[in-house]
């Protein structure tokens, strides 16, 4: 039928083998064949008249864009006939995005732990750089941060009531906590040196990394977490734990007001829950988008390869 229309409706046929593109095969389904001509599609069974209408519509569309001098149309046509370096990079990224994500999260949550390592080794310069990099991203309050190389892994405020641990006030010798001092206090050889990310942020990004590794090892078979479960388990606990302790830092409360301070354990638990559930909610959608992108580029790759052979 296509050969019969070649004289009146000139066209070029490119055959796409769906067995080489399982993602596209699953999306298109059966029956086959399916014809695509620009934005127009025909699925078998169809007649020669259907083909004539399809080719006529595509021809009129092309002539319209050419007459109007649409540069974008010509650029899209040209891009569709060659594989660029960006196409190859996006194809690679669509296959290995979880490796990239996990590496970025690992570096993001791991680098802050080098700050106390440098401080302990006496390399103050690199430590200051790390603290400065993360300063706009985290409050870095010493009484809400982990410490390395000291007597304790953390020094909570007295009102947190963490039994068996020296408080932040005892360590710095003050009657009450001050936000500015809490940000500026890095530590010393006795108490250790603080990590450049607070306890909650460490837990959040650790949760992202934990789920990211599990998701990658499971070959990305997980479905997205239901939004209601994400809100109930991931958002509400961390929201309550974080917001309920803000009045103690925002102003000097009256004596009758009950001021709450979270604990390192609660910050870690709520942070992990938020990180894991958020990654579970987002990563499957990202995987779906990457799969669609990979399908398009693989189809374009087959198309360009056949053009090259015919040329």
């Amino acid at each position: 039928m296509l050969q019969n229309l070649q004289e009146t409706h000139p066209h070029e046929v490119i055959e796409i083998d769906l067995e080489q593109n399982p993602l596209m095969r699953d999306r298109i389904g059966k029956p086959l064949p399916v014809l695509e001509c620009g934005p127009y599609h025909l699925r078998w069974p169809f007649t020669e008249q259907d083909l004539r209408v399809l080719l006529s519509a595509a021809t009129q569309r092309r002539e319209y864009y050419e007459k109007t001098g649409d540069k974008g149309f010509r650029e899209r046509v040209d891009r569709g006939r060659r594989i660029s370096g960006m196409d190859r990079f996006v194809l690679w990224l669509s296959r290995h995005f979880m490796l990239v994500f996990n590496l970025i999260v690992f570096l993001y949550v791991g680098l802050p732990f080098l700050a106390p390592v440098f401080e302990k080794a006496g390399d103050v310069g690199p430590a200051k750089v790390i603290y400065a990099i993360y300063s706009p991203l985290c409050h870095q309050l010493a009484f809400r941060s982990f410490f390395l190389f000291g007597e304790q892994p953390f020094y909570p405020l007295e009102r947190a009531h963490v039994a068996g641990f020296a408080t932040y006030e005892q360590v710095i010798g003050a009657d009450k906590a001050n936000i500015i001092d809490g940000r500026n206090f890095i530590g010393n050889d006795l108490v250790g040196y603080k990590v450049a990310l607070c306890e909650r942020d460490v837990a959040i990004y650790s949760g992202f990394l934990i789920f990211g590794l599990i998701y990658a090892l499971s070959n990305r078979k997980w479905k997205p977490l239901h939004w209601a479960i994400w809100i109930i388990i991931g958002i509400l606990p961390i929201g309550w734990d974080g917001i309920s302790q803000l009045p103690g830092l925002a102003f000097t409360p009256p004596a009758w007001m009950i001021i709450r301070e979270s604990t390192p354990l609660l910050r870690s638990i709520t942070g992990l829950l938020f990180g894991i559930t958020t990654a579970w909610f987002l990563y499957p959608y990202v995987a779906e988008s990457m799969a669609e992108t990979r399908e398009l580029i693989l189809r374009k790759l087959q198309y360009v390869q056949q053009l090259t052979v015919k040329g």
Side-chain angles (χ1 to χ4, degrees), residues 145-160:
S145 299
F146 292 114
F147 278 71
L148 299 183
F149 311 114
E151 295 180 340
Q152 298 178 182
F154 44 75
Y155 298 90
L157 292 179
E158 182 178 354
R159 62 172 176 256

Side-chain angles (χ1 to χ4, degrees), residues 58-77:
T59 300
Q60 292 173 7
R61 177 175 179 269
R62 183 194 64 193
E63 291 175 348
Y64 168 79
Y65 282 119
E66 289 177 348
K67 288 180 180 178
T68 57
D70 191 314
K71 294 182 179 179
F73 174 73
R74 176 49 55 187
E75 291 175 356
R76 291 194 298 273
V77 171

Side-chain angles (χ1 to χ4, degrees), residues 171-182:
V171 168
I172 66 171
D175 294 334
K176 61 180 181 179
N178 179 282
I179 294 180
I180 296 178
D181 292 340

Side-chain angles (χ1 to χ4, degrees), residues 78-91:
D78 292 339
R79 285 199 305 268
R81 301 176 69 89
R82 58 184 173 84
I83 299 296
S84 65
M86 180 58 68
D87 288 329
R88 298 187 186 279
F89 170 75
V90 172
L91 179 60

Side-chain angles (χ1 to χ4, degrees), residues 149-152 155 187-193:
F149 311 114
E151 295 180 340
Q152 298 178 182
Y155 298 90
N188 51 51
D189 287 337
L190 180 62
V191 302
Y193 299 93

Side-chain angles (χ1 to χ4, degrees), residues 6-38:
Q6 184 64 258
E7 185 175 347
T8 57
H9 297 82
H11 58 269
E12 186 174 25
V13 178
I14 299 294
E15 296 181 11
I16 302 297
D17 183 4
L18 294 181
E19 294 304 317
Q20 297 182 25
N21 193 340
L23 295 171
M24 187 178 179
R25 179 193 62 202
D26 295 341
R27 177 179 65 83
I28 289 181
K30 294 183 178 181
L32 296 173
V34 172
L35 291 179
E36 296 184 356
C37 191

Side-chain angles (χ1 to χ4, degrees), residues 30 76 106 118 185 208 297 300:
K30 294 183 178 181
R76 291 194 298 273
F106 173 76
F118 283 128
F185 183 72
F208 267 90
I297 297 180
K300 180 181 178 182

